[in-house]
Amino acid sequence: MAVDLSSLLGSSSSMPELPWLQLVLTFIVVVNILHTYLDMRQLKAIKLPDPPASLKGLFTRKLYDEAQAYSVDKWWFGFWHGIYNLVETVLWLQLRIVPWLWYSLPSWLPQPLAAIVEDNEIVHTVAFMLASSLINLVLSLPWTLYSTFVIEQRHGFNKQTLGLFFSDLVKSCVLGAVFIPPLVAAFTYILQRAGPWVPLQLWAFVLGVSLFFLTIYPVVIAPLFNKYELLPQGSLRDKIEALAGSLSFPLKKLYTMDGSKRSGHSNAYMYGFFNNKRIVLFDTLIKECSEEQVVAVLAHELGHWKLRHTPINFVMSQFITLANFLLFAGMRTAPGLFESFGFDKSRPAFIAFVLFQFVVAPVDEVIGFITNVVSRRFEYQADGFAVQQGKGKELREALLKLEETNKASLNVDPLYSAYHHSHPHITERLAAIDTALKKGQ
């Protein structure tokens, strides 16, 4: 006897018909009010005339003023971009742009392609997603250009030329044209054919796609945008390999990446499955920090590995994904869902999932907050791990150096930070590191 997993959440046909669009619009407005309240608190914090007492004397007045100006510029950009996104979203929903795009799409295309799109739902869905992606790209492009070539340029971070920017854009579009059609087609096929096991089959499909991209991204996609070179033999490489060896970290390759060709910001990351790990250092990190500071940053990153934060995050994400698909399976035929958003002629399988994303937004907001809470806890633990490896002083120096290099806001509103930030503020991290150092004395 087949088990309908969606029945675990109840039959959608037994749900009352709700004003789905009005509920979604109400939630969008409420969330924007909350975000605006937190944003205003943050603006007040970043405009304070002096840094926190714990950071006084650690940064020059000139640096504080520069960091403050950068933070204010980014705040205003985010504020106006947020208003634009709110207006755009409300208009798309109120004017029924999504159903208009779906139903009118075949008329834009020449024959016989138009007939194929109209007669085959999978082909129609692929064409719809490509058209939606193109529209979103065009609408977001002015904002991206302004952020990169005005704000980042003004504050000395942008290293891109317009030629490089549009070269990256073309590459991204080509990758989208290659990957979107088969992925959307497969997802739609599962929705049409899976029956009672649709949540598990969608989850398995998304898991497989995730593992596929985790495998090909560093070796196929990332090199299209950046140059990766093995870190030359020398004292820095020796120190990193010694740290990895002391922790039994299966380091296979150690790369540098030319992040400076696009931005002055710094970073480092790890990737790879099982006993095949790689570490990538931005060239800006090597340039701005001493060797001991770079090693301390990697001790923090290796702390995430040693404390199993990566597999924990992975399991959490898979649990959330499966729960999301179970909820979707229970709601995809909810009475009035399609009609509320303007789909009164048909009920396309993939569109059900698109509409579900609007309806489930309150849950996503809560999950995002919880994810940040977990992430912040992991950051404290990774800092503590670096202290245990004898790198506490150097990590402290590295965090201050990165704060200086990235012109990060030295003042932050605690409520804004708790809601939006996945990392604790510099003052919180330094206080925790100092406490751990004192305990270790």
Side-chain angles (χ1 to χ4, degrees):
M1 181 188 210
V3 178
D4 187 345
L5 294 181
S6 63
S7 65
L8 296 175
L9 298 172
S11 172
S12 58
S13 61
S14 65
M15 294 175 61
E17 184 170 337
L18 299 174
W20 297 105
L21 178 59
Q22 287 69 30
L23 290 173
V24 167
L25 290 172
T26 300
F27 174 74
I28 289 173
V29 172
V30 169
V31 166
N32 271 271
I33 292 173
L34 171 62
H35 288 184
T36 301
Y37 167 71
L38 294 174
D39 289 345
M40 291 300 177
R41 290 179 59 101
Q42 176 68 355
L43 181 62
K44 183 179 179 181
I46 61 181
K47 279 189 169 183
L48 290 173
D50 297 300
S54 60
L55 297 180
K56 279 188 176 180
L58 298 177
F59 300 95
T60 65
R61 184 76 225 179
K62 179 175 181 291
L63 177 64
Y64 180 73
D65 291 341
E66 290 177 351
Q68 186 180 62
Y70 181 46
S71 296
V72 170
D73 278 356
K74 288 196 301 179
W75 187 95
W76 280 110
F77 174 82
F79 177 76
W80 291 115
H81 195 197
I83 290 178
Y84 169 81
N85 284 336
L86 172 62
V87 173
E88 179 189 293
T89 302
V90 171
L91 287 177
W92 269 68
L93 293 174
Q94 283 283 54
L95 298 178
R96 310 299 200 269
I97 301 297
V98 176
W100 170 82
L101 179 60
W102 176 269
Y103 291 124
S104 66
L105 187 58
S107 65
W108 303 0
L109 304 172
Q111 293 293 352
L113 183 58
I116 296 173
V117 167
E118 197 158 17
D119 294 340
N120 189 304
E121 186 178 313
I122 291 179
V123 178
H124 196 154
T125 303
V126 170
F128 171 82
M129 288 305 299
L130 289 173
S132 299
S133 299
L134 181 59
I135 292 171
N136 288 331
L137 173 64
V138 172
L139 292 176
S140 65
L141 186 58
W143 295 96
T144 306
L145 285 169
Y146 187 87
S147 175
T148 302
F149 292 100
V150 177
I151 295 180
E152 295 296 303
Q153 187 84 31
R154 178 187 299 158
H155 295 280
F157 289 114
N158 178 50
K159 309 300 179 184
Q160 292 186 86
T161 63
L162 275 171
L164 179 59
F165 177 89
F166 282 104
S167 172
D168 286 350
L169 186 63
V170 170
K171 291 175 185 176
S172 298
C173 289
V174 171
L175 289 170
V178 169
F179 289 115
I180 287 176
L183 295 178
V184 171
F187 194 93
T188 306
Y189 180 84
I190 293 172
L191 287 175
Q192 292 179 328
R193 304 288 195 279
W197 292 97
V198 65
L200 279 179
Q201 291 177 322
L202 288 175
W203 170 76
F205 172 72
V206 171
L207 174 61
V209 170
S210 300
L211 295 176
F212 170 73
F213 278 107
L214 283 173
T215 302
I216 71 163
Y217 177 81
V219 295
V220 176
I221 298 176
L224 295 175
F225 298 91
N226 288 98
K227 185 178 181 181
Y228 293 80
E229 296 179 332
L230 291 173
L231 183 67
Q233 294 291 338
S235 58
L236 177 58
R237 185 183 183 93
D238 292 341
K239 292 173 183 176
I240 293 173
E241 290 178 341
L243 175 64
S246 69
L247 299 173
S248 300
F249 178 75
L251 178 60
K252 299 300 181 184
K253 300 287 184 181
L254 182 55
Y255 294 105
T256 61
M257 190 194 83
D258 59 343
S260 60
K261 71 185 289 186
R262 289 181 178 79
S263 173
H265 294 293
S266 302
N267 204 354
Y269 64 90
M270 302 181 300
Y271 68 91
F273 295 112
F274 308 113
N275 293 325
N276 191 24
K277 304 291 187 182
R278 271 101 163 149
I279 291 176
V280 177
L281 306 174
F282 282 38
D283 56 357
T284 47
L285 179 68
I286 297 174
K287 178 182 178 182
E288 297 294 340
C289 294
S290 69
E291 290 186 357
E292 292 300 331
Q293 291 169 354
V294 172
V295 173
V297 170
L298 288 179
H300 168 94
E301 297 299 329
L302 290 171
H304 286 304
W305 169 78
K306 195 71 173 179
L307 297 171
R308 302 188 182 281
H309 292 164
T310 300
I312 292 173
N313 282 331
F314 182 78
V315 170
M316 283 178 54
S317 69
Q318 295 308 307
F319 174 79
I320 292 170
T321 300
L322 180 56
N324 195 48
F325 287 138
L326 282 167
L327 186 59
F328 165 65
M331 290 184 62
R332 60 178 174 155
T333 57
L337 178 62
F338 282 87
E339 292 79 6
S340 182
F341 286 89
F343 284 88
D344 51 1
K345 299 177 183 177
S346 60
R347 295 188 167 210
F350 191 86
I351 293 298
F353 189 72
V354 173
L355 300 183
F356 170 74
Q357 297 307 307
F358 286 115
V359 173
V360 82
V363 178
D364 290 339
E365 194 77 13
V366 174
I367 289 174
F369 173 71
I370 295 174
T371 301
N372 280 344
V373 171
V374 174
S375 175
R376 290 162 72 93
R377 180 176 178 82
F378 284 173
E379 291 302 315
Y380 282 126
Q381 292 177 353
D383 283 348
F385 181 84
V387 173
Q388 293 172 6
Q389 306 311 305
K391 306 296 181 183
K393 176 175 175 294
E394 294 82 3
L395 179 60
R396 195 181 195 282
E397 294 171 350
L399 291 175
L400 290 170
K401 185 64 179 178
L402 293 174
E403 199 80 0
E404 176 183 340
T405 301
N406 294 324
K407 296 181 182 178
S409 177
L410 300 183
N411 284 301
V412 67
D413 177 75
L415 288 182
Y416 177 93
S417 180
Y419 191 85
H420 285 293
H421 293 165
S422 61
H423 287 53
H425 187 248
I426 180 69
T427 53
E428 298 169 317
R429 294 183 70 178
L430 293 182
I433 290 172
D434 289 342
T435 299
L437 285 171
K438 289 177 182 178
K439 287 182 179 179
Q441 289 178 351

